[in-house]
Amino acid sequence: MRTPDLDDLDRTILDRLQRDARTIAESIAVEVGMSTAAVQRRIKRLRETGVIAREVAVLNPKALGQAMTFIVEVEMEREKSEVLDAFRYQMDADENVQQCYYVTGAYDFVLIVTARDMEDFEGFTQRTFFDNGNVRRFTTSIVMRPIKVGLTLPVRSRP
């Protein structure tokens, strides 16, 4: 995907929307000194070009009983494309997996996983790692306290 040319107004709009997607175009228009219709057109273009990929509600894991977060590094037995694709598909389908990264280095994947408790996480490890002959090994770190969790990207132009 080719990155569309973004001006300072686009960047301001993106900055506002990624902090709160419910911000109305009228409010953004006042901030940037444009008409509401012009802001709406820009937002539509940003969606159509894929700059805005999705608009979602960010939920509190603890409020939904997912009190524990784990960082899991996974090394696969083989690096065949069908093995990697199968694991990617499995991670994409698992609701406990919040993020999955295919990475370079000692491990093949890094996962961010939530669970209700240790018993729930043990079930996840059984079905995901122990029952999968293509997983060589995995290591787990338990998140004691999240310091920064977010998906906001820097959108302001740099001098």
Side-chain angles (χ1 to χ4, degrees):
M1 175 176 90
R2 185 178 97 57
T3 304
D5 294 327
L6 302 175
D7 62 20
D8 287 340
L9 294 172
D10 290 327
R11 293 176 187 284
T12 300
I13 291 167
L14 289 169
D15 189 52
R16 282 294 300 272
L17 289 176
Q18 77 173 338
R19 293 179 195 292
D20 185 357
R22 294 184 337 167
T23 304
I24 60 173
E26 184 178 25
S27 173
I28 297 171
V30 169
E31 181 179 333
V32 299
M34 297 177 72
S35 71
T36 300
V39 169
Q40 290 169 331
R41 282 191 301 274
R42 282 176 179 255
I43 292 171
K44 181 180 180 194
R45 179 179 53 82
L46 292 166
R47 287 180 180 132
E48 289 173 348
T49 58
V51 174
I52 297 175
R54 295 185 314 170
E55 296 172 63
V56 300
V58 178
L59 306 178
N60 179 340
K62 287 185 181 180
L64 296 170
Q66 298 294 104
M68 300 188 76
T69 302
F70 304 85
I71 300 167
V72 185
E73 298 168 308
V74 183
E75 181 182 357
M76 303 304 288
E77 193 64 47
R78 299 175 278 294
E79 282 211 32
K80 293 182 179 178
S81 62
E82 62 271 6
V83 168
L84 299 175
D85 288 345
F87 189 77
R88 283 190 279 255
Y89 179 78
Q90 181 184 5
M91 294 305 94
D92 189 46
D94 195 304
E95 291 182 336
N96 289 91
V97 177
Q98 300 302 297
Q99 297 175 47
C100 175
Y101 300 97
Y102 179 50
V103 298
T104 63
Y107 293 92
D108 298 304
F109 293 93
V110 175
L111 311 174
I112 307 298
V113 178
T114 62
R116 291 185 309 276
D117 51 31
M118 285 303 292
E119 184 178 345
D120 187 32
F121 183 69
E122 182 180 11
F124 169 81
T125 61
Q126 184 65 48
R127 72 177 179 269
T128 306
F129 307 126
F130 294 119
D131 292 346
N132 186 338
N134 291 315
V135 173
R136 177 177 289 157
R137 67 185 170 114
F138 69 96
T139 60
T140 301
S141 297
I142 300 172
V143 174
M144 301 203 28
R145 180 174 22 141
I147 305 302
K148 180 179 180 181
V149 177
L151 296 173
T152 59
L153 296 171
V155 295
R156 297 288 180 185
S157 48
R158 305 220 191 270

